[in-house]
Amino acid sequence: MENSATPGAEQATVVDDPWLRAALACALCAVDPVGTGGVRLHAQAGPVRDAWLAQLRDMLPPGTPMRRVPFNVTDGRLLGGLDLTATLRAGRPVAERGLLVDAHGGFVLLAMAERLPPGTAARVTAVMDAGEVALARDGIALTSAAAFAVIALDEGLEDEPLSTALCDRLAFHLDLDGLRAQTCTLLPVSAADIEQARARLPVVIVPPGATEALAATALALGVTSMRALLQSVRVARAAAALDGRDAVAADDVTLAAQLVLAPRATQFPTSETAPEQADASPPEPDDTPPEDTPPPEPEAEQDASDSDAQPPADRPLDDVVLEAAQAAIPPGLLARLQAAAGRLPRARSAGRAGALRAGGLRGRPAGIRRGTPGNGARLNLIETLRAAAPWQPLRRAARASAPSNCLIDVRPDDFRITRFAQRSETTTIFLVDASGSSALNRLAEAKGAVELLLADCYVRRDRVALIAFRGTGAEVLLPPTRSLVRAKRSLAGLPGGGGTPLAAGIDAGWLLADAVQRRGDTPTLVLLTDGRANVARDGAGGRARAEEDARSAARRVRASAFRALFIDTSPRPQPAARELALDMAAMYMPLSAADAVSISKIVRAIG
């Protein structure tokens, strides 16, 4: 372990040391946990993450609560509710404190936050906004203070994003992947320093220029969240308080921009002088330079170089903060954002895992409901007793005239049934253009890509189906199946030639996708074609009518909100194919020079 100086003295090197950034975020979050919201900590479970958490615990004043919340926590344990044991013992409703109320004034550790159900994430963020838990159920109506910071332990991959609402409420986004615990930077900040900073924090003032500099930096980096701007101001105040000052200085603003705004950057700042320089016409060459023109003075060159190395104290604060924040953008962050922007929206589907289907009798428990057990529905005994407990005094009084040995009076209205949610299977439907033009160009590559994708789907235990269209119609060569051998046999016998009945192919895909969806599975359409329709739905020739029918069929796919991928296999990308993909609301991929392996990689990348 190596020690470092105070935060203010290390701001000059904060960009180059990810451990120092993580340690500074730890200290500033400890100073103002509720104001900053918390930390998104992307790291796998292990010594690196433990080192950062240990440093946070060492900085916190004694008695600061820290509660760990599992990703599958129940609402009763999270928000509180009826204490069943105490209620049965006391004969009256007794409330139980939830984990969020227990963490008041401290921290909540969200374990495996990338798997947090959307409903649980919504409840946590709602409590963060309100600062309290309002409980009104099971005969209980009370409000408890619950102001805390969240440490979201993110162990997910790139295709397992954290809740957007939760991320927006956390000031610090740290990525500890690739770091070593042995090189962890420890700040000389003790719990007493944190307490002093907390006491000073309310009197710290923020000059107007500081807020304007942070706003300009956020705008230049493409950070549109207003919460991020407010969090950066809170972090600047915390930095000033930790350094023992009553006013925010330029270094505090720079540090806040590096820690809060830079990890959220969605674009590189554009230079205002670059276009002017590009538009300026170059000077015409002069073959006869005047003899009396003096050579450039060495001092002039020195002045030009000095303008770039102008000390920060003489430069506008906006430029200094923006330059520091730009240098602190994590490597590869913008490239990953651009790659993610090209993917299909995940709102329509849950990806390769299939959509989440509620109401079944199998799967993961997803809550309770009032109901009668039977026909596969299972009684939730604990929740049933919890529902019956508040009514015991009234029921005892009602049966006073008829004494019995019944200790707990449970009636049919108290029965509670466990609800389940289950992931549906994914069925990938390949629509392959086997017409003459496609066979001439890319049918061989399309066959190879489909074979690779079929093998991949077989590994993931997904279902696959194959529809080929050529001549005057479409044919389902392979109904949804997991048999890889059968799929390869059907694909090997696929001939090529004839017209392009694109509308018939899309219609056949829509019918099969609709049947798959009605069965409860999640369909995905993968269309491989050059988009040159020349056969209408009724089998008649004519390019104009065929294209109109194809676009009509594509709009039906869009209306059904099926997940779709359009792979343009023509030698050159066709505008008609792009418009057809737009009508389908499908992701358009022109792969004129790609082979079978490249096509299969693209399809796997979108899930």
Side-chain angles (χ1 to χ4, degrees), residues 48 65 78 86 118 203 211 229 285 287 302 340 360 366 388 449 468 519 556 561 585 590 597 604:
V48 174
L78 183 69
V203 301
T211 305
L229 176 60
D287 297 336
Q302 185 66 31
R519 197 169 56 236
R556 187 161 67 159
V597 177
R604 282 197 294 266

Side-chain angles (χ1 to χ4, degrees), residues 261-579:
L261 300 180
R264 289 178 163 88
T266 60
Q267 65 183 23
F268 280 112
T270 57
S271 175
E272 297 180 356
T273 58
E276 297 178 359
Q277 295 176 355
D279 295 340
S281 58
E284 297 182 357
D286 190 357
D287 297 336
T288 58
E291 296 181 355
D292 56 350
T293 302
E297 295 292 338
E299 291 78 7
E301 296 179 354
Q302 185 66 31
D303 293 342
S305 61
D306 287 346
S307 62
D308 297 335
Q310 194 175 4
D314 299 337
R315 298 171 57 191
L317 181 58
D318 295 14
D319 296 343
V320 176
V321 174
L322 178 57
E323 182 179 344
Q326 184 177 353
I329 295 176
L333 173 64
L334 299 180
R336 292 197 297 271
L337 291 175
Q338 292 172 358
R343 296 178 183 170
L344 287 176
R346 301 181 66 84
R348 293 181 176 179
S349 167
R352 65 179 59 179
L356 195 63
R357 183 177 52 184
L361 302 178
R362 296 181 299 172
R364 180 186 301 173
I368 59 170
R369 64 176 175 84
R370 186 195 302 268
T372 305
N375 296 326
R378 285 177 263 176
L379 178 70
N380 190 315
L381 180 60
I382 299 299
E383 295 299 331
T384 299
L385 293 176
R386 195 185 299 275
W391 305 102
Q392 296 307 304
L394 294 177
R395 292 173 183 176
R396 288 196 198 97
R399 67 170 186 267
S401 58
S404 68
N405 295 327
C406 179
L407 298 179
I408 303 175
D409 190 351
V410 179
R411 299 181 180 179
D413 289 344
D414 302 327
F415 290 164
R416 295 295 184 270
I417 304 299
T418 302
R419 295 189 296 111
F420 294 92
Q422 185 179 16
R423 292 281 181 188
S424 63
E425 295 180 336
T426 297
T427 300
T428 306
I429 304 172
F430 296 99
L431 309 176
V432 180
D433 183 358
S435 63
S437 60
S438 182
L440 178 64
N441 294 322
R442 307 301 303 279
L443 184 58
E445 288 83 354
K447 283 184 176 181
V450 171
E451 284 191 6
L452 294 175
L453 294 169
L454 286 172
D456 186 61
C457 292
Y458 179 77
V459 172
R460 288 163 16 199
R461 308 303 297 165
D462 292 342
R463 294 178 183 271
V464 295
L466 179 63
I467 297 176
F469 51 95
R470 68 185 184 92
T472 59
E475 180 183 5
V476 179
L477 297 180
L478 182 68
T481 180
R482 291 194 181 98
S483 174
L484 180 60
V485 175
R486 184 182 177 190
K488 285 188 174 182
R489 187 183 302 121
S490 301
L491 196 62
L494 174 62
T500 307
L502 190 52
I506 297 175
D507 284 341
W510 181 88
L511 289 173
L512 187 54
D514 185 63
V516 168
Q517 191 176 54
R518 289 176 183 275
R519 197 169 56 236
D521 293 348
T522 303
T524 299
L525 293 172
V526 179
L527 178 60
L528 296 96
T529 179
D530 56 7
R532 300 174 180 174
N534 54 20
V535 177
R537 274 174 167 152
D538 57 0
R543 188 171 297 276
R545 185 179 169 194
E547 290 179 351
E548 181 58 33
D549 287 351
R551 299 192 67 167
S552 174
R555 287 191 287 270
R556 187 161 67 159
V557 172
R558 182 192 187 100
S560 299
F562 290 139
R563 186 184 178 90
L565 172 65
F566 191 112
I567 297 179
D568 187 353
T569 57
S570 58
R572 293 182 178 178
Q574 299 295 318
R578 185 184 296 274
E579 294 175 359

